Amino acid sequence: MAIPVETFFLDPASLGTLQARIQQMIAGGILSGRFRRGEKLPSTRKLASHLGISRITVTLAYTELLANDYLAAKGRSGYFVSENAPEPPPSAAVPSRGDTVDWTRAIGQRFTGGSTPVKPQDWASFRYPFIYGQADPTLFDHANWRLCALQALGARDFTALTTDYYDQDDPKLVEFIARHTLPRRGIVARPSEILVTLGAQNALWLTAQVLLTQRRLAAIEDPCYHALRDILTQSRCRLAPVAVDADGLPPDAIPDGTDVIFTTPSHQCPTSATMPMARRTALLDRARDLDAIIVEDDYEFEMSYLSPPSPALKSLDGEGRVIYVGSFSKSLFPGLRLGYLVGSEAFIREARALRASVLRHPPGHIQRTAAYFLSLGHYDAQIRRMARTLAERRRVLEDAIQSQGLTIAGRGTFGGSSIWMRAPDGVDTGQVALDLRGAGVLIEPGAPFFADPVPAAPFYRLAYSSIPAARIGEGVRLVAKALQNATRH
Amino acid sequence: MAIPVETFFLDPASLGTLQARIQQMIAGGILSGRFRRGEKLPSTRKLASHLGISRITVTLAYTELLANDYLAAKGRSGYFVSENAPEPPPSAAVPSRGDTVDWTRAIGQRFTGGSTPVKPQDWASFRYPFIYGQADPTLFDHANWRLCALQALGARDFTALTTDYYDQDDPKLVEFIARHTLPRRGIVARPSEILVTLGAQNALWLTAQVLLTQRRLAAIEDPCYHALRDILTQSRCRLAPVAVDADGLPPDAIPDGTDVIFTTPSHQCPTSATMPMARRTALLDRARDLDAIIVEDDYEFEMSYLSPPSPALKSLDGEGRVIYVGSFSKSLFPGLRLGYLVGSEAFIREARALRASVLRHPPGHIQRTAAYFLSLGHYDAQIRRMARTLAERRRVLEDAIQSQGLTIAGRGTFGGSSIWMRAPDGVDTGQVALDLRGAGVLIEPGAPFFADPVPAAPFYRLAYSSIPAARIGEGVRLVAKALQNATRH
């Protein structure tokens, strides 16, 4: 690879003759790892013209670097970084520059230190990955996604690919969501009531910013999705964690003065509880009494392979009180980063203005590809295929749990992709999860889902969206063994 | 198209017999535009099983709807929405549901009402689009982008496409930026000092959130990029607009007490001024005296076809004081939504945590496609091709401006894609821009760029990134005519 001439700048702070400064510049690039062995340097003529200096100065610098074996000459083809050139230090390939800024002072707001746990990037190298929310190569319809992406890359879709939509979205995707996705959840919405987001995470974040202030009170489920709690903590609103039961969020326990209620009625995260119809109505009544807004995260409703999903809360909402969060990242793949918000126009207008300021709009190509994949029916086919596989894995997992004598704490009646488990009292499931990694097993400890980081009861989550059925039995056996060991200590 | 059975829910609030409620449900779907003429209904068996009711009830409801010509039966192939079914009202295809929420109260923070102007989505249908920042189909290397996207959709890149990177980025893209893009600007950075963003907009937004609070003072250029001013207004920090001159931001005019300085040294937005080397050093000195952070938006540095770009401020920064914002959206296409931040690790760590909360990470497929396009050299080739075309357009535009006797207020010495223009005193360029639309001409009025929305002098911007050279002459003639008319009033 040739090193482009634009890479070269004479450091105004460097000292010495022009020739020495050129040598420094090149040797510095090699020592810092920017220029690598075998890479071709610009010709002396080109570099001299770029730097606005005489060619002989560059030639003298190159000759000196040749003598020191930084560079090698290959006949008429020019100068290359020598195969014997010094290697940059492996640990710090790039030398740290002096940083004299006091960042403790310069940083106005901190965002690190949330409760979302660090998850292993190399989860796929584990033999028993009971990990939640990653794509399974055997379940995703890669071939048709590729065809749809290719179609969206075509000349006819040039505008959809390249255009600056400013604060708008791909009209084809919005129309599909309005006409086909939402009606399945019993929801009627106009395009102006829909906003496409960078995944459900982004939808929840936008909603929190628009609805909450430091004075407002948000009720959240306890346990709940840890990333949601981080979003709300960052927004600095007041937080009321409400303990969920086997039917999800109990409306009576939502405290007076609550402004916004965050809930996952279809499939409580992480306990998997499905909220019964009567409680849904009661929740809407409670919200009306409080004059509160409900934010409904309807994640995984597509994974209803055991019984049909209940209607969304939003479909029962005659007052515009429910803001609905949907996601394609869960059912397609998380790297897609595509979700949507549905709500009253007054709300969507503010969320749209904020989204425009934060990121303008989700990339056009992603939106158009999803619109094709959905409208050609591939999405439905994939959901059906996933449902069959997940139903089988769930059966195997429940059998294994039973035969190992482990305790289920919650599971979705309609399906889903995980089971919420309870360990024997006194067991630190965080430590068990770490120990299990050595045996190739990934489980999710329960603590990060709780508002109080030292929970009374030890939970963990076993997800089956990425583990083949054939490995579930052995994986659960290893989990049981690790729990037994932990109980003995 | 068949209407999926999941679309059907019996509204718990509906009245009457079960049969009447089914008729209501179907008729309501047709009247609201959710079910369209010719669409196929589920079979009576399927709908009955889905709703958990007897099949005869569904059959009776369908028969009644047939009699009323909502539905039509086609022999053995089933029931369809009749071609004579009532049409939904065209203006409100979906009836507005009662919205009893007081959104004035429910919305905690407002984000609408910024100074970013509404830009026409249909700019491509204008004959003379002097519009800034949209992709030109004749300049973009669509074929190679498509090949790179296809490669990134391949089985070998399945993980890059689908994975949840949590708070991380595609390592291939980050490495390319560190090894090849930044060195061209004289910048040395480790991967941990780089964060990929949803375009430069997202980079500026993240930076503002991390560095600013309500107590801090941000200095911005006046005029400046309106979206930046909206970002800072939303962050509620204190703002000090500093008037730029022909060399860009004057360091001496930055007020004492400034915490963060936002600047566009390569190519001031919108005046196109290039900051000379001496002033760059003076700006760094001023920032050191203030103990302020500099945010350098290095947009359009690639468009240096008249003279080589000056080194980035960041390359002269020995203290970690400069945060660098780069973008691929500008030089590739805006719908890509891909940019990056470079800064000290302490800063990048907070920006990364915030990005994770707001949107997790830019979609994997977009990152990998860009990494291929860059590393295969297509990006450089495209930049060279754009430079040739823009140089030609710029020559034609300058000639046309001269021959029409219009006044240039600023232009980049090294290239760029727009010229900053001054209209005769007293002319409302906002009104002129509106008038010109009727003649097929799009220009950008200058007012939204200024901190004071009623600027002393009337400016406008003529961009040449999307208008063919052959149309520039006539376009400028129409602009000159409209300005003459405006002066007469």
Side-chain angles (χ1 to χ4, degrees):
Chain A
M1 195 167 199
I3 306 167
V5 74
E6 294 84 0
T7 306
F8 295 86
F9 284 113
L10 279 176
D11 183 351
S14 64
L15 299 172
T17 64
L18 205 49
Q19 183 195 323
R21 289 169 66 198
I22 295 167
Q23 286 171 227
Q24 259 172 49
M25 171 180 76
I26 294 170
I30 293 169
L31 289 170
S32 69
R34 277 166 53 214
F35 309 154
R36 294 197 187 163
R37 290 178 178 178
E39 289 185 334
K40 189 176 189 302
L41 274 86
S43 68
T44 52
R45 189 192 47 74
K46 211 166 166 183
L47 184 57
S49 140
H50 170 71
L51 297 172
I53 60 178
S54 102
R55 187 169 169 190
I56 186 72
T57 313
V58 176
T59 306
L60 288 170
Y62 276 20
T63 309
E64 192 67 24
L65 288 161
L66 269 178
N68 296 335
D69 217 358
Y70 277 85
L71 299 187
K74 293 191 187 164
R76 299 183 70 94
S77 44
Y79 294 90
F80 295 80
V81 177
S82 166
E83 295 298 335
N84 306 315
E87 281 232 68
S91 56
V94 170
S96 186
R97 305 187 69 161
D99 191 332
T100 61
V101 172
D102 175 7
W103 286 103
T104 322
R105 201 203 72 86
I107 287 167
Q109 295 183 66
R110 298 206 165 266
F111 300 94
T112 48
S115 54
T116 301
V118 176
K119 297 192 185 176
Q121 292 278 336
D122 61 342
W123 65 269
S125 68
F126 286 78
R127 190 162 169 83
Y128 309 103
F130 291 103
I131 190 168
Y132 183 84
Q134 289 284 9
D136 185 332
T138 64
L139 291 182
F140 174 52
D141 183 0
H142 199 175
N144 275 316
W145 181 264
R146 209 157 172 250
L147 285 175
C148 290
L150 203 60
Q151 189 180 345
L153 285 162
R156 285 204 313 159
D157 283 324
F158 183 80
T159 302
L161 170 70
T162 62
T163 202
D164 189 340
Y165 279 117
Y166 308 116
D167 63 350
Q168 299 296 309
D169 286 311
D170 183 356
K172 283 207 190 204
L173 180 59
V174 172
E175 202 212 332
F176 192 90
I177 293 171
R179 291 248 310 136
H180 296 277
T181 309
L182 293 176
R184 295 192 181 197
R185 308 298 290 125
I187 299 170
V188 175
R190 283 182 289 250
S192 57
E193 294 169 322
I194 298 169
L195 183 72
V196 180
T197 61
L198 262 280
Q201 173 97 27
N202 187 228
L204 290 168
W205 184 87
L206 290 167
T207 303
Q209 307 312 306
V210 171
L211 296 181
L212 293 166
T213 64
Q214 293 182 36
R215 284 176 305 281
R216 299 211 170 169
L217 181 63
I220 53 169
E221 297 170 341
D222 190 27
C224 81
Y225 177 46
H226 27 66
L228 171 65
R229 209 169 50 247
D230 282 347
I231 286 172
L232 297 177
T233 306
Q234 285 174 12
S235 83
R236 302 206 197 140
C237 67
R238 294 180 298 132
L239 268 186
V242 178
V244 300
D245 59 26
D247 290 338
L249 181 68
D252 296 344
I254 298 169
D256 290 345
T258 295
D259 296 292
V260 184
I261 302 161
F262 288 85
T263 184
T264 48
S266 290
H267 186 195
Q268 205 276 330
C269 174
T271 69
S272 298
T274 303
M275 190 181 286
M277 199 61 188
R279 185 173 279 194
R280 290 178 192 233
T281 316
L283 180 58
L284 284 167
D285 290 345
R286 177 72 182 135
R288 190 179 308 110
D289 291 347
L290 290 163
D291 196 16
I293 303 297
I294 296 176
V295 182
E296 173 183 29
D297 182 356
D298 195 32
Y299 85 107
E300 276 204 346
F301 83 84
E302 307 91 342
M303 294 295 100
S304 309
Y305 46 82
L306 298 178
S307 63
S310 322
L313 263 186
K314 178 74 186 157
S315 73
L316 311 171
D317 165 32
E319 304 186 300
R321 194 171 287 293
V322 178
I323 290 166
Y324 178 91
V325 174
S327 173
F328 296 118
S329 295
K330 287 275 185 312
S331 39
L332 286 169
F333 52 89
L336 178 63
R337 312 304 315 127
L338 211 55
Y340 50 95
L341 269 178
V342 183
S344 294
E345 269 180 34
F347 166 79
I348 291 292
R349 203 180 298 126
E350 297 301 325
R352 183 185 299 282
L354 174 58
R355 191 197 69 180
S357 195
V358 173
L359 58 84
R360 289 213 183 170
H361 59 81
H365 177 242
I366 302 275
Q367 295 198 46
R368 182 55 57 95
T369 303
Y372 283 138
F373 195 79
L374 290 160
S375 62
L376 292 173
H378 301 312
Y379 184 74
D380 291 318
Q382 163 151 347
I383 296 293
R384 282 194 297 275
R385 197 167 44 249
M386 283 174 82
R388 278 195 301 274
T389 306
L390 290 182
E392 159 73 358
R393 290 183 187 170
R394 159 103 161 210
R395 197 186 51 69
V396 174
L397 180 57
E398 291 197 333
D399 288 352
I401 286 169
Q402 201 180 13
S403 74
Q404 295 294 335
L406 300 181
T407 310
I408 289 179
R411 62 191 137 179
T413 49
F414 66 91
S417 65
S418 65
I419 295 187
W420 183 239
M421 302 291 298
R422 183 177 179 127
D425 282 339
V427 166
D428 177 352
T429 54
Q431 188 55 51
V432 171
L434 280 179
D435 294 347
L436 277 167
R437 287 194 186 188
V441 185
L442 275 182
I443 65 167
E444 273 188 275
F449 293 98
F450 286 89
D452 182 349
V454 188
F459 293 99
Y460 60 103
R461 182 160 72 166
L462 294 180
Y464 46 95
S465 46
S466 295
I467 185 169
R471 293 192 185 164
I472 288 177
E474 177 61 10
V476 171
R477 201 187 60 76
L478 291 166
V479 172
K481 200 175 116 194
L483 289 171
Q484 248 166 10
N485 286 342
T487 321
R488 268 194 222 106
H489 289 309
Chain B
M1 196 167 200
I3 306 168
V5 73
E6 294 85 1
T7 307
F8 294 86
F9 285 111
L10 279 175
D11 184 352
S14 64
L15 299 170
T17 63
L18 204 50
Q19 184 195 323
R21 288 170 66 197
I22 294 167
Q23 285 171 227
Q24 259 172 48
M25 173 180 75
I26 295 170
I30 293 170
L31 289 170
S32 70
R34 274 167 57 215
F35 308 154
R36 295 196 186 164
R37 290 179 178 177
E39 289 185 334
K40 189 176 188 304
L41 273 86
S43 69
T44 53
R45 190 191 49 73
K46 209 167 169 183
L47 184 56
S49 141
H50 170 71
L51 296 173
I53 60 178
S54 103
R55 187 170 169 189
I56 185 73
T57 314
V58 176
T59 306
L60 287 171
Y62 275 21
T63 310
E64 192 68 25
L65 288 162
L66 269 178
N68 295 335
D69 218 359
Y70 275 86
L71 299 186
K74 292 191 189 163
R76 300 182 68 94
S77 44
Y79 294 90
F80 295 80
V81 177
S82 165
E83 295 298 336
N84 305 314
E87 282 233 67
S91 56
V94 171
S96 188
R97 306 187 67 162
D99 191 332
T100 62
V101 171
D102 175 7
W103 286 104
T104 321
R105 202 203 72 85
I107 287 167
Q109 294 182 67
R110 299 205 165 266
F111 300 95
T112 47
S115 53
T116 302
V118 177
K119 296 193 187 177
Q121 292 279 335
D122 61 341
W123 65 268
S125 67
F126 286 78
R127 192 164 168 81
Y128 310 102
F130 291 104
I131 190 168
Y132 183 83
Q134 291 283 10
D136 185 331
T138 62
L139 291 183
F140 174 52
D141 183 358
H142 198 175
N144 276 316
W145 182 263
R146 209 157 172 249
L147 285 176
C148 291
L150 203 60
Q151 190 179 346
L153 286 162
R156 285 204 314 157
D157 282 324
F158 183 80
T159 303
L161 170 70
T162 64
T163 203
D164 189 340
Y165 279 118
Y166 309 114
D167 63 350
Q168 298 298 309
D169 286 310
D170 183 355
K172 283 207 192 205
L173 179 59
V174 172
E175 202 212 330
F176 193 91
I177 293 171
R179 289 247 310 132
H180 297 277
T181 309
L182 294 176
R184 295 191 183 197
R185 307 296 294 126
I187 299 170
V188 174
R190 282 181 291 252
S192 57
E193 294 171 321
I194 298 170
L195 183 71
V196 180
T197 61
L198 262 280
Q201 173 98 26
N202 187 229
L204 290 168
W205 184 87
L206 290 166
T207 304
Q209 307 310 306
V210 171
L211 296 181
L212 293 167
T213 64
Q214 293 182 35
R215 286 177 304 281
R216 298 209 170 170
L217 180 64
I220 53 169
E221 296 170 343
D222 190 29
C224 80
Y225 177 45
H226 26 67
L228 171 65
R229 208 167 50 246
D230 282 348
I231 286 171
L232 297 176
T233 306
Q234 286 174 11
S235 85
R236 303 208 197 140
C237 68
R238 295 180 296 131
L239 269 187
V242 178
V244 301
D245 60 25
D247 289 338
L249 181 69
D252 296 343
I254 298 169
D256 289 345
T258 295
D259 296 292
V260 184
I261 301 160
F262 289 86
T263 183
T264 49
S266 289
H267 185 196
Q268 206 276 330
C269 174
T271 68
S272 299
T274 303
M275 190 181 287
M277 200 61 188
R279 184 173 279 194
R280 290 179 191 232
T281 315
L283 179 58
L284 284 166
D285 290 344
R286 177 74 181 135
R288 190 179 308 112
D289 292 346
L290 291 163
D291 196 15
I293 304 295
I294 296 176
V295 182
E296 172 182 29
D297 182 355
D298 195 31
Y299 85 107
E300 275 204 345
F301 82 82
E302 307 90 341
M303 295 293 100
S304 308
Y305 46 82
L306 298 178
S307 63
S310 320
L313 262 186
K314 178 74 185 156
S315 74
L316 311 172
D317 164 34
E319 303 187 300
R321 193 170 288 291
V322 178
I323 291 165
Y324 179 89
V325 174
S327 172
F328 296 119
S329 296
K330 286 276 185 313
S331 36
L332 285 169
F333 52 90
L336 178 62
R337 312 303 317 129
L338 211 55
Y340 51 95
L341 268 177
V342 183
S344 293
E345 269 180 35
F347 166 80
I348 291 292
R349 203 180 297 125
E350 297 301 326
R352 182 185 300 280
L354 174 59
R355 192 198 67 180
S357 196
V358 173
L359 57 85
R360 289 212 184 170
H361 59 81
H365 176 241
I366 301 276
Q367 294 197 46
R368 183 55 56 94
T369 303
Y372 284 138
F373 195 80
L374 290 160
S375 63
L376 293 172
H378 301 313
Y379 183 74
D380 291 318
Q382 163 151 348
I383 296 292
R384 281 194 297 275
R385 196 167 44 249
M386 284 175 80
R388 277 197 300 275
T389 306
L390 290 181
E392 160 73 0
R393 290 184 188 171
R394 158 99 163 215
R395 197 187 50 70
V396 174
L397 179 56
E398 291 198 332
D399 287 354
I401 287 169
Q402 199 179 16
S403 74
Q404 294 294 336
L406 300 181
T407 309
I408 290 177
R411 64 191 136 178
T413 49
F414 65 90
S417 65
S418 65
I419 295 185
W420 183 240
M421 303 290 298
R422 185 178 180 126
D425 282 338
V427 166
D428 177 354
T429 54
Q431 189 55 49
V432 170
L434 281 179
D435 295 345
L436 277 167
R437 287 193 186 188
V441 185
L442 276 181
I443 65 166
E444 275 189 274
F449 293 98
F450 286 88
D452 181 349
V454 188
F459 293 99
Y460 60 103
R461 183 160 72 164
L462 294 180
Y464 45 96
S465 45
S466 295
I467 185 169
R471 293 193 185 163
I472 289 177
E474 177 62 8
V476 171
R477 201 187 59 77
L478 290 165
V479 172
K481 202 175 115 194
L483 288 172
Q484 245 165 13
N485 285 342
T487 321
R488 270 195 220 104
H489 290 309

